[in-house]
Amino acid sequence: MNTGKVDVLLGLQWGDEGKGKVVDVLTPRYDVVARFQGGPNAGHTLEFEGQKYVLRSIPSGIFQGGKVNIIGNGVVLAPDLFMGEAKDLEKSGHPLKERLHISKKAHLIMPTHRILDRAYEAAKGKDKVGTTGKGIGPTYTDKISRNGLRVGDILCDFENKYAAHKERHMKMLAALGWTDFEGFEETEKLWMEGIDYMKEFKFVDSEIEVNHLLRENKHILCEGAQGTMLDVDFGSYPFVTSSNTICAGACTGLGIGPNKVGNVYGIMKAYCTRVGSGPFPTELFDETGKTIRDLGHEYGAVTGRERRCGWIDLVQLRYSVMVNGVTELIMMKSDVLDSFDTIKACVAYELPDGSETKDFPYEIDNIKPIYKEFPGWKKDMTKCKSQDEFPQAFRDYVAFLEDYLETRIGIISVGPDREQTIVL
Ligand code: GDP
Ligand code: IMO
Ligand code: MG
């Protein structure tokens, strides 16, 4: 049977590529926007009409009136944080209750999951992942080990189920020797208020809803969180998040057959950033890295942490294009490089035995990036309205990226605002 398709938009680097901004820009082309994985570890920033919003669990299609937004089964939700985020949006004049549907199969992040997150990080010491502390790993662990608590459980004998899960977590924390429960009671109270607040929303069998919409030929945009290098299978393991951030995650996180996937939009910055621990081949520790951080305002949207900055890594990006089946690239934040005399791109890795490769290796903490240098374009592009205004040096850089990654760049973003987006 012929049905509509879902398009998937996802990050190709270590997250924070600008997914929220582009989802908002593309939403008018779609009937539905759906999140398929991750949770409040995400921070998706949108700017329009002089206002800035940061979304964590709520899809970025919520601002373009009248569209249905779905939180799919692959997402993990913290009721207290969800309530805070939703109430803030309602206060700023963006009503959600009719437009936001939540999968009954999405898992709940309990207050004890957040403590477990801290306890596991503390136990790892200097090898810690540098998580966002939102309980993501422990919640997905409970899901996979068949111990999770789901949104659908809210409707049936919830208090008893919650108490049993909490007791199990407390035993685990005792075994880890964890004693810091400061503020726990207040958090738990707010969390329970969040549970009551969530009941005002529509809980759905989102896999049935999504497939029904596809049969009606509706257009659905799936919004990824994090990035391919944080994928639990293909990222820089163990310094990753606990979900499949790649395109296949949209199938499992929403209940869509792979033959229903249409376009795969892969988002990348014109450079590269990472927050948290783990290898980062092109990281810059010098003034250039600092300049990128300052000009790009590279500080975490969720934790405020400094983002590590470096040059674009085409070996890494080629791998991301491959594992996601990217059909179109979107390049963000090229404006941050507007004033640079020269720009570098990593085009190969030198392995410890001295050989060179363009294939992303198993180990990336012992390789040396090999760079190609490009002349800077030295033009303020933040006011550009069309590609006709692009300087030649910038066109050459874009053409090189497209050629190396064997994929066309369809959108270039030249500033944080919705309007600063050039569709090629
Ligand atoms: P996400 O997690 O992928 O949605 O990205 P974040 O919101 O965490 O980080 C992207 C940051 O870059 C946000 O502060 C955006 O407002 C900002 N941003 C997005 N696109 C552009 C751009 O083209 N130029 C500049 N200068 N900033 C941008
Ligand atoms: P968005 O959707 C950037 C990183 C954390 C840490 C690792 C694991 O805004 O791009 P977790 O809390 O998920 O267990 O942390 O993943 N991380 C992100 N980095 N952007 C994100 O989301 C991230 N979500 C998690 O910093 O290194
Ligand atoms: Mg972010």
Side-chain angles (χ1 to χ4, degrees):
M1 182 186 176
N2 271 338
T3 65
K5 297 265 187 191
V6 301
D7 290 342
V8 182
L9 181 147
L10 43 79
L12 297 181
Q13 295 161 322
W14 275 276
D16 301 328
E17 295 89 350
K19 299 173 289 292
K21 167 179 166 164
V22 180
V23 169
D24 171 63
V25 168
L26 294 181
T27 296
R29 299 185 193 174
Y30 292 90
D31 302 294
V32 177
V33 178
R35 276 276 303 267
F36 57 89
Q37 46 70 234
N41 49 347
H44 295 180
T45 316
L46 294 82
E47 287 190 39
F48 55 89
E49 291 159 11
Q51 295 292 319
K52 179 168 163 171
Y53 302 89
V54 180
L55 298 175
R56 297 163 78 171
S57 301
I58 295 171
S60 302
I62 209 77
F63 297 103
Q64 302 268 17
K67 307 289 167 126
V68 172
N69 284 255
I70 296 175
I71 295 180
N73 56 280
V75 173
V76 290
L77 262 186
D80 50 345
L81 302 180
F82 170 79
M83 176 171 67
E85 186 178 336
K87 284 190 170 171
D88 281 350
L89 284 175
E90 299 217 286
K91 253 188 254 151
S92 62
H94 301 281
L96 298 176
K97 297 226 169 94
E98 291 308 310
R99 307 187 203 160
L100 184 64
H101 301 175
I102 305 174
S103 169
K104 290 180 205 160
K105 295 188 177 73
H107 279 245
L108 293 170
I109 304 175
M110 294 173 53
T112 37
H113 282 131
R114 296 206 284 255
I115 301 182
L116 281 164
D117 197 353
R118 277 161 53 203
Y120 291 141
E121 282 284 86
K124 285 189 171 210
K126 67 169 181 33
D127 296 325
K128 70 176 184 181
V129 177
T131 73
T132 58
K134 297 292 178 282
I136 304 296
T139 306
Y140 278 116
T141 302
D142 271 354
K143 170 178 174 172
I144 300 300
S145 65
R146 298 157 296 182
N147 284 307
L149 190 60
R150 303 193 288 180
V151 168
D153 289 319
I154 294 175
L155 305 174
C156 177
D157 193 25
F158 185 70
E159 304 271 307
N160 283 328
K161 285 180 189 163
Y162 175 82
H165 286 287
K166 179 179 162 185
E167 192 185 326
R168 186 171 49 82
H169 291 161
M170 287 302 190
K171 283 186 189 149
M172 290 160 71
L173 287 161
L176 286 163
W178 190 262
T179 53
D180 179 5
F181 291 91
E182 207 191 318
F184 182 76
E185 273 168 30
E186 297 88 86
T187 305
E188 193 178 44
K189 190 165 162 278
L190 194 67
W191 194 89
M192 287 296 177
E193 281 171 30
I195 290 287
D196 280 336
Y197 177 74
M198 278 178 67
K199 289 180 193 159
E200 297 171 30
F201 287 78
K202 211 166 158 182
F203 295 167
V204 295
D205 296 302
S206 55
E207 65 283 22
I208 293 176
E209 181 177 12
V210 164
N211 282 285
H212 185 73
L213 288 162
L214 288 178
R215 272 200 294 278
E216 290 177 349
N217 262 308
K218 298 280 193 231
H219 297 103
I220 300 179
L221 179 62
C222 307
E223 173 180 3
Q226 290 80 55
T228 303
M229 285 295 112
L230 292 170
D231 180 274
V232 69
D233 281 277
F234 299 104
S236 48
Y237 193 88
F239 300 100
V240 293
T241 190
S242 298
S243 64
N244 280 119
T245 62
I246 60 164
C247 183
C251 294
T252 56
L254 285 165
I256 300 164
N259 58 337
K260 303 278 161 47
V261 176
N263 282 323
V264 182
Y265 300 110
I267 303 212
M268 60 193 190
K269 286 179 186 168
Y271 49 93
C272 192
T273 64
R274 159 160 220 178
V275 57
S277 338
F280 178 5
T282 59
E283 182 167 13
L284 291 165
F285 300 95
D286 57 6
E287 274 305 303
T288 310
K290 196 174 166 306
T291 308
I292 294 177
R293 184 176 312 116
D294 290 345
L295 293 174
H297 305 291
E298 294 295 356
Y299 297 91
V302 172
T303 56
R305 286 181 292 177
E306 245 181 31
R307 292 178 184 150
R308 300 154 63 191
C309 297
W311 295 117
I312 197 166
D313 182 345
L314 298 180
V315 178
Q316 175 269 303
L317 279 169
R318 210 169 68 120
Y319 180 77
S320 293
V321 167
M322 177 185 82
V323 295
N324 288 299
V326 171
T327 60
E328 188 174 316
L329 292 164
I330 298 176
M331 186 164 78
M332 313 298 291
K333 304 192 90 160
S334 56
D335 54 292
V336 172
L337 305 180
D338 281 353
S339 58
F340 283 50
D341 293 327
T342 50
I343 284 147
K344 288 189 193 176
C346 168
V347 291
Y349 289 167
E350 186 186 313
L351 299 174
D353 67 4
S355 64
E356 272 184 32
T357 184
K358 287 184 178 177
D359 284 326
F360 196 68
Y362 181 75
E363 295 272 8
I364 54 166
D365 42 11
N366 54 6
I367 59 93
K368 237 170 66 190
I370 297 169
Y371 291 107
K372 180 173 164 60
E373 237 177 63
F374 297 83
W377 42 89
K378 308 279 272 179
K379 170 177 167 155
D380 175 3
M381 301 234 300
T382 55
K383 292 184 186 66
C384 284
K385 291 282 170 224
S386 94
Q387 63 188 106
D388 304 336
E389 297 166 58
F390 290 168
Q392 190 56 43
F394 183 70
R395 284 171 204 270
D396 293 343
Y397 179 64
V398 169
F400 180 84
L401 299 183
E402 288 182 320
D403 190 48
Y404 189 106
L405 299 171
E406 296 176 326
T407 315
R408 94 176 252 277
I409 296 181
I411 297 177
I412 290 179
S413 170
V414 293
D417 194 90
R418 200 188 254 175
E419 303 295 324
Q420 290 170 300
T421 314
I422 298 166
V423 179
L424 307 184

